[in-house]
């Protein structure tokens, strides 16, 4: 376990452009842009947006497009994808999209790559439109091609030798592999990428994945130095009691997701209080609490420092869910104040 002090721990933000009851997608995107602007003001290290498909309660289906808007409304904070879902797309097209972003906002772009479907199987089929999904064994080669297109470094004799991803810029995005298991950690260490573990999705196995990444890392086509962070749900309020109240609908939301209720709106506090929980539900809620850090400023500071120290990382990416937009913003503001980010 590593000991971290307040000033050493960096915090970033993951935002999914969630629709609250009564929202339109426009409302969700406006909140995302506002959070990015505030996150920059408050001193967060980076702002990442996700990719989900055919999911009515999440508006963020195209991180590349959304990043263009976020860059126009910010000036310093790093912005990136968490992540572009590589199995659906051509690595050449991904390289072109992110070279456009790099040309617009040089030195600020993170290209986070995931391999999850991001939706139901039929949505994945629509995205690939007849193309075959790369197998896990093929993914390292696809990633090497992506790195080659971004750095103009395809190997001699490559079938696309001479093809360059436009625009032709001198800098390139930082490449992060995202994962909730050891698979992406191993690929990141083999290929030189940075690695982000999705603890907010899977609370098990992350410590081993991150340790293995650092132990096995070697420079490669996707990067030259080891860097890792961990994404976790964090809910902060002015008191521990208020934070626990805000966590109640998040607990129910995670439970409903496990049960396949993807279309259901994010629950309110009143709905969470009235929900007819079974014993199995309560057991799952206790398990899912390992994916969350909850408390007032003093409590959550200790939790987050211990959490980052146990993982051996100096940066956490925070995702804060909730049906109350004001309470959600307050959570991010309190975290920034607690860790003196600005």
């Amino acid at each position: 376990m590593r000991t971290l002090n307040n000033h050493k721990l960096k915090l970033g933000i993951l935002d999914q452009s969630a629709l609250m009851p009564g929202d339109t997608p426009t409302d969700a995107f406006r909140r995302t842009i506002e959070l990015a602007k505030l996150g920059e003001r408050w001193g967060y290290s980076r702002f990442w947006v996700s990719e989900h498909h055919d999911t009515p309660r999440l508006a963020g289906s195209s991180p590349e497009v959304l990043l263009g808007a976020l860059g126009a409304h910010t000036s310093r904070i790093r912005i990136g994808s968490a992540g572009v879902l590589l199995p659906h797309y051509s690595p050449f097209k991904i390289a072109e999209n992110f070279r456009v972003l790099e040309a617009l906002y040089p030195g600020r772009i993170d290209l986070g790559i995931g391999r999850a479907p991001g939706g139901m199987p039929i949505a994945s089929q629509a995205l690939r439109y007849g193309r075959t999904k790369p197998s896990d064994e093929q993914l390292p080669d696809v990633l090497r091609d992506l790195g080659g297109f971004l750095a103009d470094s395809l190997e001699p004799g490559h079938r696309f030798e001479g093809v360059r991803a436009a625009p032709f810029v001198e800098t390139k995005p930082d490449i992060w592999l995202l994962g909730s298991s050891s698979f992406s950690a191993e690929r990141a260490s083999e290929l030189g990428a940075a690695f982000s573990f999705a603890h907010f999705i899977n609370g098990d196995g992350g410590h081993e994945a991150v340790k293995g990444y650092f132990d096995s890392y070697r420079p490669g086509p996707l990067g030259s130095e080891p860097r890792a962070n961990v994404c976790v749900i964090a809910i902060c309020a002015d008191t521990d009691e208020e934070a626990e109240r805000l966590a109640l609908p998040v607990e129910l939301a995670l439970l409903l997701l496990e049960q396949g209720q993807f279309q259901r709106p994010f629950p309110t506090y009143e709905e969470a209080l009235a929900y007819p929980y079974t014993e199995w539900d309560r057991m799952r809620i206790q398990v899912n609490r390992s994916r969350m850090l909850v408390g007032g400023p003093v409590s959550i500071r200790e939790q987050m420092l211990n959490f980052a120290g146990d993982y051996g990382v100096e940066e956490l990416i925070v995702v804060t869910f909730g049906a109350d937009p004001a309470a959600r913003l307050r959570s991010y503001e309190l975290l920034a104040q607690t860790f003196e980010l600005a």
Side-chain angles (χ1 to χ4, degrees):
M1 174 174 170
R2 301 169 64 182
T3 301
L4 298 173
N5 57 49
N6 284 9
H7 301 287
K8 197 170 185 180
L9 184 62
K10 296 189 295 184
L11 300 181
I13 294 173
L14 169 64
D15 188 72
Q16 297 180 314
S17 301
L19 278 74
M20 297 298 109
D23 269 356
T24 67
T26 299
D27 297 326
F29 286 134
R30 284 175 176 163
R31 275 199 305 273
T32 293
I33 291 171
E34 182 62 21
L35 180 58
K37 292 161 62 177
L38 290 170
E40 179 172 82
R41 183 190 310 168
W42 291 334
Y44 281 86
S45 56
R46 61 187 85 240
F47 190 94
W48 286 354
V49 293
S50 61
E51 177 180 335
H52 294 87
H53 299 286
D54 194 24
T55 307
R57 63 185 188 83
L58 298 176
S61 60
S62 181
E64 307 94 322
V65 176
L66 184 53
L67 289 172
L70 294 177
H73 285 86
T74 57
S75 59
R76 301 181 311 279
I77 192 170
R78 294 193 67 88
I79 55 175
S81 57
V84 170
L85 304 179
L86 181 63
H88 298 322
Y89 311 117
S90 152
F92 180 68
K93 185 57 178 174
I94 295 172
E96 289 201 323
N97 285 339
F98 277 80
R99 276 193 158 184
V100 168
L101 290 167
E102 186 68 24
L104 289 169
Y105 313 113
R108 294 176 55 203
I109 302 299
D110 293 331
L111 169 50
I113 293 290
R115 64 186 184 101
M120 300 302 287
I122 193 168
S124 296
Q125 294 171 24
L127 283 163
R128 293 196 296 271
Y129 210 67
R131 293 172 51 248
T132 302
K133 175 186 175 183
S135 66
D136 285 348
E137 291 73 24
Q138 293 170 316
L139 275 176
D141 288 334
V142 178
L143 286 164
R144 288 188 186 92
D145 286 352
L146 175 61
F149 286 128
L150 285 169
D152 292 324
S153 61
L154 293 176
E155 295 182 358
H158 192 285
R159 58 178 173 154
F160 297 127
E161 183 179 5
V163 176
R164 298 182 64 197
F168 309 138
V169 292
E170 295 183 358
T171 59
K172 60 187 179 70
D174 286 352
I175 300 177
W176 292 75
L177 298 194
L178 319 175
S180 56
S181 69
S182 62
F183 179 88
S184 291
E186 292 167 0
R187 304 294 83 73
S189 64
E190 292 167 359
L191 299 173
F195 174 62
S196 182
F197 184 78
H199 188 98
F200 78 106
I201 294 175
N202 177 21
D204 297 322
H207 298 87
E208 294 79 8
V210 172
K211 183 179 185 301
Y213 166 78
F214 281 119
D215 288 346
S216 303
Y217 182 88
R218 59 180 183 269
L222 304 186
S224 59
E225 60 179 348
R227 289 177 298 162
N229 62 38
V230 179
C231 185
V232 63
I233 299 168
I235 300 171
C236 187
D238 290 279
T239 66
D240 290 345
E241 293 75 18
E242 176 64 10
E244 288 294 337
R245 188 186 74 83
L246 294 172
L248 196 62
V250 180
E251 293 173 344
L252 177 56
L254 296 178
L255 179 68
L256 295 174
L257 282 174
E258 285 188 343
Q259 297 173 353
Q261 298 188 47
F262 301 104
Q263 312 296 327
R264 184 166 174 163
F266 197 93
T268 64
Y269 174 71
E270 290 73 22
E271 289 171 333
L273 275 180
Y275 190 82
Y277 298 97
T278 65
E279 286 302 313
W280 172 259
D281 292 339
R282 296 189 186 281
M283 184 190 76
R284 290 306 308 164
I285 285 171
Q286 287 303 310
V287 170
N288 285 333
R289 276 303 288 252
S290 69
R291 298 154 61 184
M292 302 167 58
L293 304 175
V294 180
V298 174
S299 171
I300 207 163
R301 179 176 64 241
E302 181 178 2
Q303 291 179 56
M304 293 178 77
L305 290 172
N306 289 337
F307 180 85
D310 288 344
Y311 260 103
V313 299
E314 296 180 358
E315 181 181 48
L316 300 179
I317 305 297
V318 174
V319 55
T320 301
F321 301 120
D324 183 345
R328 186 166 170 263
L329 285 181
R330 179 62 175 159
S331 178
Y332 284 118
E333 182 180 26
L334 284 170
L335 288 175
Q337 292 173 354
T338 298
F339 287 94
E340 301 176 11
L341 299 182

